[in-house]
Amino acid sequence: DRYRLAVRVLPGRSMAGGPGRALVDADLLADLGDWALRGTDVRIEVEVGGEEGVDGGRAVLCADDGPRRALTGGRGTFPSYRTMLDALAPVRTRVVTDRGALRAALGGWHGEGAVRLRARERELALGRGDSEPAVLPAVRTGPPQDLAFDPAVLLPALEASVGPDVLLEIASAAEPVVVRSADQGSFTTLVMPVHGHPSNV
């Protein structure tokens, strides 16, 4: 009930050379975010190394012919996320709602335990225990669903997403929920619900 996986495809304006992969430290890459935003374009050069050109690779970032920032390749095995995505159970219910409103509602219960969600026909109700639920406008296709999330796990998925609306693709209350940007289908996050009793919201 704690894991989260995020995948996003970023198409480049141009590409030269063959395919390559480099495993880099996420914290180190995040620190370069502000630096990269100051340039019009960022060029990524992947210098492949290690067995089969996977481990030990090195990525170099260059922004508008400015200084080069090297990201030394990490050691280890990157999760086989494609296998995980291919093995997901069929989606039974889809819910589209306002991403900012859902994020704000969850933020009000941060750090206080799981929050239960009930996907109704035209709304999404969020609550905990006997508290008054927050009700958000939503569009649901498929059967109703009751499930619970730890806000500390679901909130980062909403914050990392893009666009005004979020799409929740639900197989069941006990399987990973796919969180997508409703208008940016290449951004995909898997969030695991927590075990809980049926919601009373």
Side-chain angles (χ1 to χ4, degrees):
D1 62 354
R2 298 291 299 177
Y3 80 75
R4 179 169 60 92
L5 167 70
V7 179
R8 187 175 183 186
V9 177
L10 298 176
R13 295 190 182 185
S14 62
M15 187 178 72
R21 290 187 288 174
L23 184 65
V24 299
D25 185 274
D27 292 335
L28 181 59
L29 189 60
D31 289 341
L32 294 177
D34 291 339
W35 167 79
L37 285 173
R38 291 196 291 268
T40 304
D41 292 298
V42 174
R43 187 174 71 255
I44 302 175
E45 301 172 357
V46 177
E47 301 172 0
V48 179
E51 182 181 354
E52 296 183 358
V54 178
D55 294 328
R58 180 171 174 266
V60 178
L61 277 65
C62 314
D64 294 340
D65 297 324
R68 297 163 62 87
R69 303 294 180 95
L71 300 173
T72 303
R75 292 287 177 179
T77 302
F78 194 75
S80 181
Y81 68 92
R82 291 185 178 91
T83 301
M84 186 180 297
L85 293 175
D86 291 341
L88 290 175
V91 174
R92 298 181 64 236
T93 301
R94 289 178 170 85
V95 180
V96 178
T97 191
D98 183 275
R99 183 172 65 94
L102 178 56
R103 184 175 58 184
L106 283 171
W109 286 306
H110 188 70
E112 298 180 11
V115 174
R116 294 187 173 97
L117 278 68
R118 171 174 286 177
R120 301 171 178 170
E121 185 174 0
R122 296 188 179 276
E123 61 188 27
L124 183 66
L126 298 84
R128 178 184 287 124
D130 296 326
S131 64
E132 185 70 19
V135 179
L136 308 178
V139 176
R140 189 200 79 207
T141 58
Q145 293 282 352
D146 295 307
L147 63 168
F149 288 100
D150 181 344
V153 178
L154 183 55
L155 269 172
L158 297 173
E159 291 169 351
S161 188
V162 294
D165 296 322
V166 64
L167 168 64
L168 306 178
E169 295 184 338
I170 306 166
S172 76
E175 295 176 276
V177 173
V178 180
V179 181
R180 300 187 191 274
S181 296
D183 58 350
Q184 294 283 338
S186 67
F187 186 93
T188 301
T189 305
L190 297 186
V191 181
M192 192 67 187
V194 298
H195 292 293
H197 299 290
S199 173
N200 60 358
V201 298

